[in-house]
Amino acid sequence: MSTNKTEHYQLNQWVKTDQVLMDDFNADNSKIDSALKSASDRADAAKAKADNIATTYFSPENLPYVVGSYKGDGTQKRRIELGFTPKAVLLFRHDGFTQYNEMYCGGLVLPNRNVSAYSDHGVTSWDDNSTVMQIVENGFQVTAKRYMSLYFYSNETGKYYYYVALK
């Protein structure tokens, strides 16, 4: 049996005159095993709590925006459903363009501020005929059509589009 014990876990510490017993070693091993298990359990609980915080605060449903994409299907007026009415949507075609010459394919749309086309070739009003995209309830609307000399291709068949929508 040991004369001395460690401060924190009361493990055996022998001096030269102590008789060393196997029971002392077994008792020490049991204490060490219990302490390691307890520390491991606390570490697992802390990790689970941290993971839960990360999931709660940084999960897609809690971010102030969504990022998405769609493949154009050529529909003249197509709704992109988001599940919420966005405060703003920024849309780019697969090549990064929002407008090229007289082809309009994206841009930044805000509530009551549609992305519209304007040309020196006769389109002079900001009406429904010139709307490239707009915010609608629970999403946004894109267009695939030609109007006068302009091409509205925010839904061109086979092209990919990428967007960021603010909640």
Side-chain angles (χ1 to χ4, degrees), residues 81-149:
E81 295 290 336
L82 300 174
F84 64 92
T85 302
K87 294 180 180 153
V89 177
L90 181 60
L91 177 71
F92 293 95
R93 201 173 71 168
H94 66 94
D95 52 14
F97 285 120
T98 59
Q99 188 263 332
Y100 181 74
N101 290 332
E102 293 184 344
M103 180 179 66
Y104 295 83
C105 48
L108 176 64
V109 63
L110 304 168
N112 302 314
R113 297 283 186 220
N114 300 341
V115 172
S116 297
Y118 178 82
S119 170
D120 292 333
H121 303 289
V123 178
T124 56
S125 64
W126 302 94
D127 59 15
D128 190 51
N129 287 325
S130 64
T131 299
V132 177
M133 62 182 285
Q134 64 184 338
I135 289 178
V136 294
E137 187 174 341
N138 290 319
F140 62 99
Q141 182 176 290
V142 293
T143 307
K145 69 177 181 178
R146 181 171 183 199
Y147 179 66
M148 301 180 85
S149 63

